[in-house]
């Protein structure tokens, strides 16, 4: 099962991807997480991605395509793959089609999370993440119980790109480059629109209905 999560930064893709991985065993693949890890480790790839990420622009297609290619090759024995944050533009979507076809796989479902524009910015400004296990928190709706991560007691931090200026750039990039994917996938008939403004559990129940074939 190949599942793609689509929506603006802060729409809840990452939280839902983690829940899908835990419940269904699909391999969670977040290009953003992979790039942040590459930067932390100081790899060549991380060095190439750093400035684009810091300014809220997209990193080069060839970098993220190579990351996804590796994950598809590592899929053996897994029940599925969750793509979180890839593709981000039509060129990447075309590359994804080619990679899947090469491995005789197909995209089964695209979930699009609709969240009102005015809520997105507030969500991103309130977002925090565990620096160790990457668990997501939101200081308004889902804060850590004490100042440390609930899951692993790691330090809870604000992501470097969750600041006003970078958020503005990321939302512009989303509108210009990623939003056209809605049409792209609507035409393919695989798109399911979800109300991403609902509670995490409610959104996940909707997703589960699709993944179990009940919807
Ligand atoms: P995310 O964690 O998905 O919000 O991604 C954080 C940042 O990583 C983005 O603002 C981009 O700079 C970069 N990034 C993540 N995924 C992609 C992608 N598919 N294509 C290009 N850049 C990406």
């Amino acid at each position: 099962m190949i599942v793609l999560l689509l929506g603006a930064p802060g729409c809840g893709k990452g939280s839902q991807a983690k829940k899908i991985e835990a419940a269904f065993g699909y391999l969670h693949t977040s290009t953003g997480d992979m790039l942040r890890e590459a930067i932390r480790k100081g790899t060549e790839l991380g060095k190439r991605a750093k400035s684009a990420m810091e300014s809220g622009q997209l990193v080069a297609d060839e970098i993220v395509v190579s990351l996804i290619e590796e994950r598809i090759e590592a899929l053996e024995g897994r029940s599925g793959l969750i793509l979180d944050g890839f593709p981000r533009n039509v060129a990447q979507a075309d590359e994804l089609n080619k990679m899947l076809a090469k491995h005789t796989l197909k995209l089964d479902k695209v979930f699009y999370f609709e969240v009102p524009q005015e809520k997105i910015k507030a969500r991103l400004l309130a977002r925090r993440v565990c620096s160790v296990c990457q668990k997501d928190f939101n200081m308004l709706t889902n804060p850590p119980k004490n100042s440390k991560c609930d899951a692993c007691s790691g330090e809870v931090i604000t992501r470097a790109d969750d600041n006003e200026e970078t958020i503005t750039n990321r939302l512009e990039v989303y509108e210009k480059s990623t939003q056209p994917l809605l049409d792209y996938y609507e035409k393919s008939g695989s798109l399911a629109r979800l109300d991403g403004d609902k509670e995490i559990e409610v959104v996940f129940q909707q997703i589960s209905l699709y993944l179990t074939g009940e919807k």
Side-chain angles (χ1 to χ4, degrees):
M1 180 71 100
I2 311 288
V3 176
L4 199 162
L5 308 185
L6 197 61
C11 72
K13 298 188 295 291
S15 305
Q16 294 298 334
K18 284 172 191 152
K19 290 185 80 63
I20 298 169
E21 180 172 51
F24 293 92
Y26 305 169
L27 182 65
H28 176 197
T29 294
S30 156
T31 38
D33 284 349
M34 292 164 96
L35 292 167
R36 278 183 287 278
E37 197 189 338
I39 291 175
R40 266 197 304 277
K41 288 185 173 161
T43 67
E44 209 41 55
L45 189 146
K47 284 180 196 147
R48 287 177 65 202
K50 193 166 190 275
S51 68
M53 283 186 82
E54 279 173 356
S55 60
Q57 302 301 318
L58 296 183
V59 309
D61 289 345
E62 90 232 24
I63 294 182
V64 284
V65 167
S66 71
L67 291 175
I68 295 296
E69 178 99 66
E70 281 169 25
R71 296 293 270 193
I72 291 177
E73 275 158 17
L75 259 189
E76 190 107 332
R78 297 294 290 245
S79 50
L81 174 71
I82 311 155
L83 294 167
D84 162 13
F86 180 94
R88 284 284 229 277
N89 58 30
V90 170
Q92 292 179 14
D94 287 340
E95 285 304 317
L96 175 63
N97 287 341
K98 286 187 213 155
M99 288 187 278
L100 292 176
K102 190 172 139 196
H103 293 270
T104 53
L105 294 166
K106 70 170 183 54
L107 190 55
D108 295 287
K109 203 80 215 161
V110 179
F111 293 108
Y112 170 59
F113 301 95
E114 288 179 293
V115 178
Q117 176 87 27
E118 67 276 11
K119 297 227 173 144
I120 285 285
K121 204 165 180 178
R123 276 194 185 194
L124 288 170
L125 287 170
R127 177 161 70 182
R128 301 290 182 275
V129 62
C130 173
S131 58
V132 179
C133 74
Q134 317 305 319
K135 184 175 167 63
D136 293 302
F137 296 95
N138 183 293
M139 297 314 278
L140 304 174
T141 56
N142 175 35
K145 293 195 179 56
N146 51 54
S147 60
K148 299 285 185 189
C149 173
D150 297 348
C152 75
S153 302
E155 197 190 345
V156 174
I157 58 164
T158 304
R159 253 172 63 168
D161 57 354
D162 281 344
N163 63 72
E164 289 261 4
E165 193 187 336
T166 312
I167 288 172
T168 304
N169 290 341
R170 286 158 67 204
L171 294 177
E172 274 174 22
V173 167
Y174 171 75
E175 217 167 287
K176 185 166 148 272
S177 304
T178 313
Q179 189 99 330
L181 290 177
L182 264 185
D183 260 7
Y184 185 100
Y185 287 120
E186 198 130 53
K187 282 185 191 128
S188 75
S190 51
L191 190 83
R193 289 172 183 264
L194 301 174
D195 182 353
D197 200 19
K198 293 266 193 294
E199 303 264 300
I200 291 181
E201 278 310 323
V202 175
V203 179
F204 180 63
Q205 273 167 19
Q206 290 294 310
I207 292 176
S208 299
L209 291 178
Y210 283 102
L211 297 182
T212 54
E214 289 167 71
K215 195 158 179 174

